[in-house]
């Protein structure tokens, strides 16, 4: 039986204890209902004015735009027309032309910028433009940032969540050091007390509606920030043991249950695929951690006339690869590709951050988060090429390459997750280099066992501003994984279509469960991506929160034929 307690802690040494300041604190965000007067505007230090691009259709600046006199002066000095504030997409053989984001100094010495927002543009593009517009303001780490909305109630309702999210996730700084004897000085940490403040000037709008929307935005921002903060921690600090030890503090007061399957218990369960990877680590602190959130809501009647039948809550299982460092094992990675392998636990970070968000928002969706925490070390006890191991579901696996460890720890973790009979299983993993080869780092690829799941994930990814590309996984690819000594090969040495072969391998461990597999090729992107300005993007957290919110409202569709 697993150790069941939200307070259960893994054994740990002084070397892997995280200091109290490792986790950034989001800025405080407020809605301002009053009208922004010029006298007040001139007293503000850092201001971004947002207005709909459609107001520039006549070729003139919008009437009543805050700071319009200053903006007109800037355009005149630069000999630009108001239409320069509009982005022009690629076409007729020309590269896209980015929108001008003018900047001026107010009479009070404050910094002000203007951005024309196109509500019809993709969420990704809106986020990217907002990040770029905010970058000059946030670079000064202002104690207060003011975002002013000029336009209709519909424009405010659509633009406010985007602006609040982008501002919040970029206002914090990731920890630059986690030395136990040194206080982190990153802006926004709890100890510094400088969490920052963001004020959203929304005017006389529906405050109740906007407040509800803002709560969802901040939960998503918190999920992305936690994911990124965990990913940037160095491997001598964030170990499987210290990851397990920080979980109680993250779930405290949220009604989330914690069950831990440590190495001793996994040996009794014969989880040979997971243990093959874990056995190389001298600390033996690896574990599969199950977090469970069951909302306290009344069951919904399927048929109001039927007094007995009730609609069960949607049930989603999240599975995250949590390799806290990946050497490649005996098939040792070259230095170039081992750099950054402390972020190979991004999938587990997403699973933890998303279940936390679901509980904070009290979503009417049951959620399990399974964290496969280990390291892939090299040493006398590490698994080798040619080994044959028996997975938790009884399948035997021929080890072909020890650097394909992610699919090994996921195999047994997916088996456990699917055995609980959720309506859907979604796993996250920085799994294959071939997905990065296929897509680069500007989007991530995914696989779906059923068509309706593919459409659903594409929809929420677009809404969240995290771009996805669906891939197919025809069963004839299984022939490449045929083994002469076991039920299945772990991978091939050719490397061809490894992202597809990895999906086919994992498919053997989910049974009949409706399943989505997200290969996180966009977990890191130099210069940032979409809403996020850091190289570590936290990709996957926002779209999964969006997915759970969608399921809470629309439920889960019936299964359609598998691919």
């Amino acid at each position: 039986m697993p150790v069941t307690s939200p307070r259960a802690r893994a054994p740990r040494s002084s070397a892997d204890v995280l200091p109290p300041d490792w986790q950034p604190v989001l800025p405080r965000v407020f809605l301002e209902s009053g009208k922004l007067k010029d006298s007040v505007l001139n007293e503000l230090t850092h201001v971004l004015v947002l207005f709909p691009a459609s107001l520039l259709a006549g070729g003139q600046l919008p009437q009543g735009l805050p700071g319009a006199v200053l903006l007109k002066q800037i355009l005149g000095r630069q000999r630009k027309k108001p239409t320069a504030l509009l982005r022009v997409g690629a076409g007729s053989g020309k590269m896209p032309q980015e929108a001008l984001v003018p900047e001026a100094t107010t009479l009070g010495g404050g910094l002000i910028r203007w951005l024309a927002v196109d509500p019809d543009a993709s969420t990704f593009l809106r986020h990217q433009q907002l990040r770029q517009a905010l970058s000059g303001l946030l670079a000064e780490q202002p104690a207060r940032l003011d975002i002013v909305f000029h336009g209709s109630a519909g424009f405010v309702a659509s633009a406010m969540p985007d602006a609040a999210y982008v501002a919040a996730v970029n206002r914090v700084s990731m920890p630059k050091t986690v030395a136990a004897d040194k206080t982190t000085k990153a802006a926004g940490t709890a100890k510094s007390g400088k969490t920052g403040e963001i004020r959203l000037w929304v005017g006389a709008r529906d405050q109740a509606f906007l407040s509800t929307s803002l709560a969802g935005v901040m939960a998503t921002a918190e999920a992305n920030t936690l994911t990124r903060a965990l990913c940037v921690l160095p491997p001598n600090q964030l170990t499987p043991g210290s990851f397990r030890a920080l979980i109680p503090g993250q779930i405290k007061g949220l009604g989330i249950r914690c069950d831990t399957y440590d190495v001793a218990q996994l040996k009794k369960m014969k989880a040979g695929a997971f243990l093959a990877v874990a056995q190389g680590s001298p600390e033996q602190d690896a574990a599969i951690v199950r977090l469970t959130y069951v909302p306290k809501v009344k069951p919904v009647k399927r048929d109001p006339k039927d007094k007995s039948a009730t609609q069960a809550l949607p049930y989603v299982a999240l599975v995250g690869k949590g390799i806290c460092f990946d050497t490649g094992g005996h098939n040792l990675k070259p230095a170039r590709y081992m750099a950054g392998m402390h972020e190979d636990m991004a999938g587990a970070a997403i699973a933890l951050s998303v279940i936390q968000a679901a509980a904070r928002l009290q979503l009417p969706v049951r959620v399990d988060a399974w964290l496969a925490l280990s390291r892939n070390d090299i040493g006398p006890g590490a698994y080798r090429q040619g080994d044959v191991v028996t997975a938790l579901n009884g399948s035997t696996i021929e080890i072909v390459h020890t650097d394909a460890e992610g699919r090994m720890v996921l195999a047994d973790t997916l088996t456990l997750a699917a055995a609980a009979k959720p309506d859907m299983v979604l796993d996250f993993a920085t799994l294959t280099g071939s997905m990065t080869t296929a897509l680069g780092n500007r989007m991530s690829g995914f696989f779906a066992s059923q068509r309706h799941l593919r459409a659903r994930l594409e929809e929420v990814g677009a809404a969240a501003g995290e771009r996805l590309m669906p891939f197919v996984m025809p069963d004839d690819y299984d022939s490449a994984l045929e083994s002469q000594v076991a039920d299945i090969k772990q991978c091939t040495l050719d490397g061809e279509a490894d992202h597809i072969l990895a999906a086919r391998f994992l498919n053997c461990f989910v049974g009949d469960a409706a399943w989505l597999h997200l290969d996180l090729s966009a977990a890191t992107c130099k210069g940032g991506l979409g809403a996020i300005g850091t190289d570590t993007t936290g990709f996957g957290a926002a779209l999964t929160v969006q997915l759970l919110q969608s399921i809470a409202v629309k439920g889960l569709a019936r299964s359609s034929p598998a691919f």
Side-chain angles (χ1 to χ4, degrees), residues 46 80 89 247 269 304 317 325 339-340 401 427 445 448 457 492 498 510 516 555:
H46 298 79
K80 299 282 189 181
I247 290 173
M269 296 164 63
F325 193 76
H401 201 300
D427 78 73
L457 197 63
T492 69
D498 187 49
V510 294
L516 286 162

Side-chain angles (χ1 to χ4, degrees), residues 530-542:
I532 309 303
T534 55
D535 291 355
T536 299
T537 65
F539 188 101

Side-chain angles (χ1 to χ4, degrees), residues 14-19 177-180 233-243:
S14 59
D16 63 8
V17 176
L18 301 180
T177 175
V178 289
L233 294 174
N236 61 325
Q237 293 284 343
L238 188 66
T239 65
S242 63
F243 199 131

Side-chain angles (χ1 to χ4, degrees), residues 493-504:
L493 289 176
D494 299 330
E496 182 179 347
D498 187 49
H499 52 307
I500 299 176
L501 295 182
R504 290 305 306 171

Side-chain angles (χ1 to χ4, degrees), residues 25 28 102 147-148 250 254 296 302 322 339 408 424 494 507 533:
V25 177
R28 296 165 294 170
I147 301 178
V148 183
Q250 295 297 319
L254 295 176
K296 296 179 180 180
R302 283 187 179 142
M408 298 293 290
M424 183 185 75
D494 299 330
N507 185 61

Side-chain angles (χ1 to χ4, degrees), residues 6 26 34 48 78 124 139 167 185 208 214 240 265 269 297 300 373 460 470 474 561:
L26 287 178
L48 177 64
Q78 297 180 359
F124 174 87
K185 295 181 180 179
L214 185 59
Q265 291 154 334
M269 296 164 63
V297 297
V300 178
L373 303 176
V460 299

Side-chain angles (χ1 to χ4, degrees), residues 125-205:
L125 181 56
R126 294 199 307 270
H127 282 179
Q128 183 171 267
Q129 291 180 310
L130 282 163
R131 169 165 63 93
Q132 292 167 348
L134 284 163
S135 61
L137 301 169
L138 293 176
E140 298 186 0
Q141 297 186 355
R144 172 172 164 176
L145 170 69
D146 290 85
I147 301 178
V148 183
F149 299 85
H150 177 79
S152 67
F155 169 74
V156 174
S158 66
M160 186 278 290
D162 291 339
Y165 177 69
V166 176
V169 296
N170 289 292
R171 173 59 182 82
V172 299
S173 296
M174 294 295 104
K176 295 180 180 178
T177 175
V178 289
D181 60 346
K182 189 175 182 181
T183 301
T184 301
K185 295 181 180 179
T189 55
K191 196 163 186 175
S192 69
K194 298 179 181 179
T195 58
E197 180 179 303
I198 298 173
R199 292 192 176 268
L200 308 172
W201 293 80
V202 296
R205 315 298 185 190

